[in-house]
Amino acid sequence: MEENVVLCGANSYTQKFYLDERFSNLPQLVKDELRVLCVLYVEDVGGIFTMEFDPEGLLQLKVSSDPSDYLFDEIGSVLKIKQMQEKNAELLESLEMYYRLLFLNGTEA
């Protein structure tokens, strides 16, 4: 794998949440928590937020916005990501371990 694999994301412009079907076997509580994290993020700062695994299996929290979106809070987005990483460190680390075991070891579910 050479490019990032999107785990999930939310889009404030279309008001939608996305969870890649390859991760449908995650426990429902984890899927619910991911939905809450993503949706609350875009409700707070706007834009498009994704959680992606890089080729080494590290979870990247990414945000982008429409260039014409003058309400997008760029500073708030950086602070919100840091807060999310600190508050949900255990969940994020567990997701990285899950991804490495099931996807990088060639036993993709």
Side-chain angles (χ1 to χ4, degrees), residues 48-68:
I48 300 167
F49 176 73
T50 58
M51 301 174 91
E52 307 175 10
F53 292 104
D54 69 12
E56 289 79 39
L58 298 174
L59 192 57
Q60 308 290 315
L61 307 183
K62 296 187 173 188
V63 65
S64 62
S65 67
D66 187 308
S68 65

Side-chain angles (χ1 to χ4, degrees), residues 8-10 17 30-44 49 51 59 61 80 83-85 87-89 91-92 95:
C8 60
F17 170 77
V30 173
K31 292 189 282 190
D32 292 345
E33 184 67 19
L34 290 172
R35 178 184 295 269
V36 168
L37 290 174
C38 291
V39 170
L40 287 179
Y41 180 91
V42 297
E43 283 185 5
D44 285 349
F49 176 73
M51 301 174 91
L59 192 57
L61 307 183
K80 185 86 174 162
Q83 177 187 35
M84 188 184 298
Q85 288 171 322
K87 184 178 178 185
N88 300 289
L91 171 65
L92 301 178
L95 287 167

Side-chain angles (χ1 to χ4, degrees), residues 92-106:
L92 301 178
E93 289 171 10
S94 296
L95 287 167
E96 287 178 343
M97 184 179 299
Y98 167 87
Y99 181 78
R100 287 182 188 136
L101 289 172
L102 292 181
F103 291 83
L104 295 183
N105 287 338

Side-chain angles (χ1 to χ4, degrees), residues 8-21:
C8 60
N11 185 323
S12 68
Y13 308 116
T14 61
Q15 298 183 339
K16 292 188 179 186
F17 170 77
Y18 168 78
L19 176 69
D20 189 306
E21 63 185 36

